[in-house]
């Protein structure tokens, strides 16, 4: 049995445009192409698409997915490996659920006591978030930078990662305080925080002005990044972006 590209798109939730792109990059060729030029997919292609989507959910880029698929021989063993990764991801998401629930409870408690919302331990906001999981867009836009970052991350211990996560969270809280106070993004105090942010990024890769602006825009455009910022304060992703653009224009151009 074969399914048209429109039927596969409807079943999987993947757009026809994305399916055509997967074909163009050699990741998911159709079983055959009809005389009308339409792509048709059979059971083998559907199973392959499922594997692709699982790996996308796990944060792999298209190049990495292609390499994994190229090395596979036994589909059952491959699915077992994906199953183990999904269990690990489920555990991480369970931690996220507890983190958000704890934050809600803490905010409600402090609000009921004082009428004001305050976070007592901001470092707890990101328990369960994996700071190494950059967006696919960032990975594919700057592959060399991504590889440099990956190599550096592999040298970090669990303690190093925890300390880095706490530093990033604390910095986001400080920048959120500037935003709440209505401080212009070009203010020297804000720019000092952005300089610290830039130096932190440089631990992993060194962006020029264009790349740093691109990273700033990713904070707004990518849902995962934006949610992380806006969990600290709504609108923080856009404020951080504007401050980074100002920094790039004055310090990196």
């Amino acid at each position: 049995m074969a399914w048209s590209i429109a039927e596969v798109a409807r079943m999987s939730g993947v757009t026809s445009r994305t399916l055509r792109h997967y074909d163009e990059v050699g990741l998911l060729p159709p079983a055959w192409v009809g005389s009308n030029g339409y792509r048709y997919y059979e059971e083998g292609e559907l199973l392959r698409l499922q594997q692709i989507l699982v790996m996308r959910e796990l944060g792999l880029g298209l190049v990495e997915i292609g390499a994994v698929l190229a090395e596979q021989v036994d589909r059952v063993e491959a699915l077992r490996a994906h199953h183990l990764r999904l269990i690990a991801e489920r555990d991480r998401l369970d931690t996220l659920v507890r983190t958000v629930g704890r934050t809600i409870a803490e905010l409600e408690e402090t609000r009921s006591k004082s009428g004001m919302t305050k976070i007592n331990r901001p470092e707890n906001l990101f328990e369960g978030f994996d700071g190494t999981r950059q967006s696919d867009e960032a990975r594919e836009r700057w592959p060399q930078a991504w590889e440099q970052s990956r190599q550096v991350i592999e040298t970090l211990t669990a303690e190093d990662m925890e300390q880095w996560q706490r530093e990033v969270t604390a910095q986001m809280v400080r920048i959120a305080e500037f935003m709440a106070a209505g401080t212009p993004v070009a203010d020297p105090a804000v720019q000092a925080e952005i300089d610290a942010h830039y130096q932190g990024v440089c631990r992993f890769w060194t962006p020029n002005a264009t790349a740093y602006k691109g990273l700033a825009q990713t904070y707004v455009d990518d849902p995962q990044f934006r949610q992380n910022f806006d969990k600290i304060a709504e609108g923080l992703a856009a404020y951080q972006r504007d401050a980074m653009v100002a920094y790039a224009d004055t310090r990196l151009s």
Side-chain angles (χ1 to χ4, degrees), residues 135 137 218-230:
S135 71
E137 178 184 356
T218 300
Y219 288 165
V220 175
D221 292 342
D222 184 270
Q224 180 178 325
F225 276 121
R226 187 173 63 250
Q227 288 173 11
N228 286 355
F229 278 94
D230 288 352

Side-chain angles (χ1 to χ4, degrees), residues 25-110:
V25 300
L27 199 60
L28 183 66
W32 47 279
V33 178
S35 58
N36 54 7
Y38 290 174
R39 294 169 170 83
Y40 290 90
Y41 301 80
E42 297 180 351
E43 183 176 302
E45 286 69 42
L46 296 188
L47 288 170
R48 187 177 177 91
L49 177 58
Q50 182 197 55
Q51 292 179 276
I52 292 169
L53 296 181
V54 168
M55 287 187 277
R56 291 291 275 181
E57 287 291 329
L58 293 171
L60 275 69
L62 297 185
V63 174
E64 293 168 296
I65 292 173
V68 171
L69 292 175
E71 295 173 1
Q72 286 181 187
V73 177
D74 191 312
R75 282 179 176 167
V76 174
E77 288 302 317
L79 285 173
R80 279 202 185 99
H82 295 326
H83 186 236
L84 291 175
R85 293 191 186 99
L86 287 172
I87 291 173
E89 179 68 1
R90 181 197 62 192
D91 293 342
R92 187 183 73 84
L93 291 174
D94 286 343
T95 301
L96 279 177
V97 170
R98 292 193 297 270
T99 296
V100 174
R102 182 177 60 230
T103 301
I104 291 171
E106 184 174 325
L107 292 177
E108 288 179 340
E109 180 181 358
T110 56

Side-chain angles (χ1 to χ4, degrees), residues 7-18:
E7 290 172 320
V8 174
R10 185 169 58 254
M11 286 189 292
S12 66
V14 177
T15 65
S16 297
R17 179 179 179 181
T18 298

Side-chain angles (χ1 to χ4, degrees), residues 158-168 203:
E159 291 76 14
D160 292 334
M161 289 299 300
E162 182 179 356
Q163 178 62 31
W164 173 67
Q165 186 180 64
R166 289 177 181 273
E167 291 173 358
V168 169
R203 291 172 58 187

